[in-house]
Amino acid sequence: MARLKGKNKIRDLLSGYSFMAPTIIILGCFLLLPIGYAIYLSFHKVNLLGTVSYKFTGTANFERMVDDPRLWIALRNTAKYALIVVPAQTILSLVLASILNMKLRYRNFFRVAFYLPTVTSSAVLVLIFMWIYNSNGLLNYLLDLVGLPTYNWLGDPSVALLGIMIMNIWSTAPLFMVIYLAALQDIPENLYEAADIDGANGWQKFWRITVPQLKPVTFYVVVMGIIGTFQLFDQSYIFSAGSGGPNNATLTMVLLIYQYAFKSMDMGYASALAFLLAVVIMLITLIQRLIFKEERLN
């Protein structure tokens, strides 16, 4: 009997893994192997020109980070970008979702209209905003129209990154708005009815009922926002033509990795930087989990 149970258990395991095999193979080939190969490259000096060679250098690529000034500039720019964009897009998306959750006239039209920036290509959005920020663009035209001085929005290092921030807040908030909107519709209506009986006003209901009920969703939105901001690449690349300028003002971690990997052909150091970025994102996510201790719904 025990032998028969053992055979049935093995047969069930084999059946389960046979169904999972396509997914395991795909994830292994396109996710696990690249990660392992990137970690392997981070400990080597790689030559891809002519005869491909790998020279083991130990932790030299990681030690090199300490004396790399552009790395610290990229980390500072990325952290500044995340600290401003993530809270702004989270608050904006929650406010928009709360408004569109009300019984407004034409609210379905506004839901579609607000969501349109999300489905627009990121490259197209960057080109549109570059035209707006251009010296002869829409923003300076409007400023000149009302008698205000114009400005070199793309060429000033102090405001170049801010221009990318505004564009990303405008384009990513609608995506999280939809997530918040779905969560708002799942909040039991009897909670608000009980609050009405107790004499709570609109702000008290929002702060004491809506926000706590949305805590798991807020955890997801903030984590996804941080991951997205730390992976900023295409907007910064197009804005600066791949240089991270002006004066490294729009240089981000992923753009720096790209420059070392495909311009300097320093794959080993670029892989080490990618490994560092992954560690930073994981640490921030763990901190988020400690802050949002009750992110699971009861």
Side-chain angles (χ1 to χ4, degrees), residues 199-260:
N201 57 34
W203 171 252
Q204 290 173 329
K205 287 190 288 185
F206 177 79
W207 189 249
R208 297 300 181 94
I209 297 176
T210 304
V211 173
Q213 289 291 318
L214 293 177
K215 197 171 183 181
V217 179
T218 302
F219 171 77
Y220 171 80
V221 168
V222 171
V223 169
M224 294 305 296
I226 289 175
I227 293 174
T229 53
F230 269 83
Q231 293 179 340
L232 176 69
F233 170 71
D234 49 349
Q235 296 95 331
S236 179
Y237 179 87
I238 299 173
F239 255 92
S240 63
S243 66
N247 195 26
N248 292 324
T250 59
L251 182 66
T252 61
M253 277 297 297
V254 180
L255 180 58
L256 182 66
I257 293 170
Y258 167 83
Q259 290 178 351
Y260 277 117

Side-chain angles (χ1 to χ4, degrees), residues 47-52 265:
N47 179 25
L48 297 178
L49 299 177
T51 304
V52 179
M265 301 304 292

Side-chain angles (χ1 to χ4, degrees), residues 25-93:
I25 293 173
I26 293 174
L27 289 177
C29 292
F30 297 102
L31 182 63
L32 299 179
L33 285 179
I35 292 174
Y37 186 57
I39 296 174
Y40 171 80
L41 290 179
S42 64
F43 293 98
H44 291 77
K45 181 176 178 60
V46 185
N47 179 25
L48 297 178
L49 299 177
T51 304
V52 179
S53 62
Y54 303 89
K55 181 181 178 182
F56 180 74
T57 58
T59 59
N61 287 325
F62 295 95
E63 295 171 2
R64 178 181 166 187
M65 296 179 186
V66 179
D67 299 321
D68 187 353
R70 299 189 75 231
L71 169 61
W72 299 108
I73 293 173
L75 279 173
R76 185 178 67 247
N77 289 341
T78 306
K80 178 182 176 182
Y81 179 86
L83 287 173
I84 295 176
V85 171
V86 174
Q89 71 184 12
T90 302
I91 295 172
L92 179 60
S93 59

Side-chain angles (χ1 to χ4, degrees), residues 57-225:
T57 58
T59 59
N61 287 325
F62 295 95
E63 295 171 2
R64 178 181 166 187
M65 296 179 186
V66 179
D67 299 321
D68 187 353
R70 299 189 75 231
L71 169 61
W72 299 108
I73 293 173
L75 279 173
R76 185 178 67 247
N77 289 341
T78 306
K80 178 182 176 182
Y81 179 86
L83 287 173
I84 295 176
V85 171
V86 174
Q89 71 184 12
T90 302
I91 295 172
L92 179 60
S93 59
L94 177 56
V95 171
L96 291 176
S98 300
I99 294 172
L100 293 180
N101 193 47
M102 299 176 182
K103 296 179 180 179
L104 301 175
R105 193 176 184 184
Y106 305 120
R107 66 175 180 176
N108 289 333
F109 167 78
F110 288 112
R111 288 176 180 179
V112 174
F114 288 168
Y115 189 72
L116 284 178
T118 301
V119 300
T120 307
S121 169
S122 177
V124 174
L125 286 176
V126 174
L127 293 175
I128 293 173
F129 271 81
M130 286 183 68
W131 169 72
I132 294 173
Y133 293 141
N134 195 278
S135 298
N136 298 319
L138 178 63
L139 183 56
N140 278 341
Y141 172 77
L142 294 176
L143 291 174
D144 184 63
L145 197 63
V146 295
L148 295 175
T150 58
Y151 199 73
N152 183 14
W153 303 100
L154 296 177
D156 189 343
S158 62
V159 298
L161 187 62
L162 180 62
I164 300 179
M165 292 178 186
I166 294 172
M167 184 199 70
N168 275 274
I169 293 170
W170 179 77
S171 62
T172 56
L175 174 62
F176 298 127
M177 176 198 72
V178 173
I179 298 173
Y180 270 127
L181 188 59
L184 284 170
Q185 294 175 357
D186 285 337
I187 298 177
E189 191 65 30
N190 57 8
L191 295 178
Y192 295 105
E193 293 173 355
D196 288 331
I197 295 174
D198 292 336
N201 57 34
W203 171 252
Q204 290 173 329
K205 287 190 288 185
F206 177 79
W207 189 249
R208 297 300 181 94
I209 297 176
T210 304
V211 173
Q213 289 291 318
L214 293 177
K215 197 171 183 181
V217 179
T218 302
F219 171 77
Y220 171 80
V221 168
V222 171
V223 169
M224 294 305 296

